Amino acid sequence: MSGNSTRLAVGISRGTASAGIAAGLISGFVTGVVLGSLCGTLAGAHRRSVVLVLVSALLSGAAVCGMAGVQGVAIGLTALAMGAENAAFEQPGGSIGLTYMTGALAKVGQGIAGVLLGRSGFAWLSYLALWTGLVAGAILGAVEYPTFGIAALWLPASLSLLVAIVTLTLGGRGSAP
């Protein structure tokens, strides 16, 4: 959303349509966060699984709409899904921001500095894993999209559903650790 916020600002300053597109994506993302948080809270002990099923459903809907030629709705559903996924790790007092890479990379750097100074352990590795997952997903999407187009969304939709099932089966039903 950092890039879309910048696009919004530039679009407003230049009076271009990109401001409206960015505003729509930002609104969709925030709405997805609200939707995910509400569903997660109502799901109680099954928070993660229910939120991941929601993400899977939204991405599946985006794939269907995109394949039907309704690109605007597909993009909107994708923004909703990206917002909703953040609720999978929501917990009292905060959450892990799944799409906030500046902060994640800052935590990696601070953690490495702490290790070099002998003051910290390896908790920062979770932030490195988060960043690595984002980059790996982006690479996979960039590789798949030229071949499959919007149908490439079926892969993350399926993986989200699979992780929801595994999470429920293994008993990882509560809030983030």
Side-chain angles (χ1 to χ4, degrees), residues 33-48 50-51 87 90:
V33 172
V34 171
L35 183 61
S37 292
L38 291 173
C39 287
T41 299
L42 294 173
H46 300 288
R47 166 184 282 284
R48 283 190 186 140
V50 168
V51 169
E90 192 176 312

Side-chain angles (χ1 to χ4, degrees), residues 61-75 145 149-151:
V64 168
C65 289
M67 293 171 72
V70 190
Q71 301 299 325
V73 175
I75 292 168
Y145 187 79
I150 198 78

Side-chain angles (χ1 to χ4, degrees), residues 40-41 44-49 87-96 167 171-177:
T41 299
H46 300 288
R47 166 184 282 284
R48 283 190 186 140
S49 296
F89 293 98
E90 192 176 312
Q91 60 188 354
S95 66
I96 298 171
T167 300
R173 299 172 289 164
S175 298

Side-chain angles (χ1 to χ4, degrees), residues 1-77:
M1 289 294 108
S2 300
N4 283 311
S5 296
T6 302
R7 286 181 58 209
L8 173 66
V10 170
I12 289 172
S13 72
R14 294 185 180 162
T16 63
S18 65
I21 294 167
L25 290 170
I26 293 166
S27 297
F29 181 87
V30 172
T31 301
V33 172
V34 171
L35 183 61
S37 292
L38 291 173
C39 287
T41 299
L42 294 173
H46 300 288
R47 166 184 282 284
R48 283 190 186 140
S49 296
V50 168
V51 169
L52 290 170
V53 168
L54 171 64
V55 169
S56 179
L58 290 168
L59 290 174
S60 296
V64 168
C65 289
M67 293 171 72
V70 190
Q71 301 299 325
V73 175
I75 292 168
L77 289 171

